[in-house]
Amino acid sequence: MTAKPITLHELPADLHRDRLPQHVAVIMDGNGRWAKNQGLPRIMGHRRGVDTLKDMLRCCKDWGIGALTAYAFSTENWGRPLEEVDFLMTLFERVLRQELREMMEEDVQIQFIGNLSALPHSLQQEITRSVEETRHNKGTQFRVATNYGGRQEILEACRAIATQVQQGHLTPDQIDEAIFERHLYTAGTCDPDLLIRTSGEMRISNFLLWQVAYAEIYVTNALWPDFDRSEFHRALSAYQARDRRFGKLSSARS
Ligand code: FPP
């Protein structure tokens, strides 16, 4: 008798439903290396990366994880060859157009974080349309960081707060974490509990610098196009084995 294939449609039995991260953030690294390993042009890695991201989003719904934030394009990625940047912009636009109906069916609410005004106009239009149409969906919150930089986000918040102080709406000693957070792209959303980075690099790469203050970080050697539900299962198992102390003593020692 052949063994039943593991489909992982449902939450794996060894994971505790009540201790899942509510919000997972991913640095999707390794598309280019994946393509190179297959003897393919780099852009094919990005194409496969989209398939992985789509399955991750479905998996969050299947397993009961409320929010996923993906780092699609950093402020530094403009430094890549023009053809690759153009390909990525066109890819984002096409994926948004093609996947909107499915996002509606799956009750996904999509949002974007980053400096969107620098993106091609047609992509901005597609972004606005997908955000507007999915606005009232109540399922997975899917945030896409596009032309995103954590330092830039913090600087923009500082400028906005400084302007309020200059105009007399705030005094410097009134500035606290809650006020600061309200000026970030992620205002009103919960911070990531788990940050996953693929392809083995031990870096944050300017992603959600403020928001990952207490996130558990999980790095896997898997390249993003190979990051499947088994890999996600491993990441969640590692997360559930961690003792999240938030600067206090461990639960075992307190
Ligand atoms: C990093 O791999 C990946 C990117 C810069 C692009 C990721 C984008 C997607 C997967 C598409 C997402 C689409 C939507 C609509 C959200 P790399 O190119 O740095 O890989 P390397 O380090 O191996 O060169």
Side-chain angles (χ1 to χ4, degrees), residues 191-253:
D191 288 342
D193 302 296
L194 172 64
L195 171 66
I196 297 173
R197 181 168 188 146
T198 54
S199 95
E201 310 287 354
M202 303 283 183
R203 284 191 293 273
I204 302 288
S205 297
N206 206 13
F207 189 41
L208 300 175
L209 293 182
W210 172 281
Q211 297 87 341
V212 297
Y214 287 103
E216 295 297 326
I217 298 177
Y218 177 85
V219 177
T220 168
N221 285 328
L223 305 175
W224 177 249
D226 291 327
F227 190 86
D228 57 12
R229 288 183 182 222
S230 304
E231 290 286 347
F232 197 25
H233 179 189
R234 268 193 279 284
L236 293 172
S237 297
Y239 171 82
Q240 293 200 335
R242 305 267 178 96
D243 182 17
R244 298 192 78 196
R245 294 201 296 274
F246 299 96
K248 304 184 184 88
L249 293 184
S250 82
S251 41
R253 287 159 61 205

Side-chain angles (χ1 to χ4, degrees), residues 21-251:
Q22 278 314 296
H23 179 185
V24 174
V26 281
I27 301 179
M28 310 180 287
D29 199 11
N31 291 349
R33 273 164 283 174
W34 180 89
K36 190 170 174 222
N37 293 345
Q38 314 282 322
L40 296 168
R42 287 179 58 80
I43 57 170
M44 295 306 288
H46 298 315
R47 278 216 181 120
R48 277 298 284 263
V50 173
D51 295 337
T52 301
L53 184 56
K54 278 164 53 181
D55 195 48
M56 256 328 85
L57 194 54
R58 250 180 250 122
C59 190
C60 285
K61 182 184 180 200
D62 292 346
W63 293 2
I65 293 166
L68 178 71
T69 300
Y71 204 5
F73 194 86
S74 73
T75 46
E76 291 73 31
N77 284 154
W78 295 109
R80 292 187 174 210
L82 188 60
E83 312 83 72
E84 185 169 340
V85 171
D86 281 349
F87 176 84
L88 282 168
M89 296 297 147
T90 309
L91 180 72
F92 297 157
E93 198 179 315
R94 203 182 57 226
V95 169
L96 287 180
R97 201 177 312 115
Q98 283 172 354
E99 301 301 325
L100 182 55
R101 182 145 53 97
E102 195 166 335
M103 285 194 285
M104 292 305 289
E105 283 166 12
E106 303 268 330
D107 210 19
V108 170
Q109 185 192 68
I110 193 168
Q111 292 170 334
F112 286 80
I113 55 173
N115 177 6
L116 307 180
S117 63
L119 300 173
H121 186 62
S122 52
L123 174 55
Q124 287 186 47
Q125 283 180 320
E126 219 50 68
I127 286 176
T128 305
R129 192 161 80 99
S130 59
V131 170
E132 284 295 321
E133 292 207 18
T134 65
R135 181 179 298 276
H136 299 295
N137 289 352
K138 297 277 181 279
T140 316
Q141 291 184 3
F142 177 39
R143 256 162 253 128
V144 186
T146 315
N147 193 23
Y148 175 88
R151 287 185 173 182
Q152 186 173 347
E153 177 181 36
I154 289 170
L155 280 177
E156 279 182 25
C158 288
R159 278 192 210 108
I161 293 170
T163 305
Q164 290 192 13
V165 171
Q166 194 180 38
Q167 292 172 344
H169 302 308
L170 264 184
T171 59
D173 54 322
Q174 283 175 320
I175 302 168
D176 58 11
E177 290 190 13
I179 287 184
F180 200 83
E181 276 167 4
R182 283 208 288 277
H183 290 83
L184 296 173
Y185 300 132
T186 51
T189 66
C190 69
D191 288 342
D193 302 296
L194 172 64
L195 171 66
I196 297 173
R197 181 168 188 146
T198 54
S199 95
E201 310 287 354
M202 303 283 183
R203 284 191 293 273
I204 302 288
S205 297
N206 206 13
F207 189 41
L208 300 175
L209 293 182
W210 172 281
Q211 297 87 341
V212 297
Y214 287 103
E216 295 297 326
I217 298 177
Y218 177 85
V219 177
T220 168
N221 285 328
L223 305 175
W224 177 249
D226 291 327
F227 190 86
D228 57 12
R229 288 183 182 222
S230 304
E231 290 286 347
F232 197 25
H233 179 189
R234 268 193 279 284
L236 293 172
S237 297
Y239 171 82
Q240 293 200 335
R242 305 267 178 96
D243 182 17
R244 298 192 78 196
R245 294 201 296 274
F246 299 96
K248 304 184 184 88
L249 293 184
S250 82
S251 41

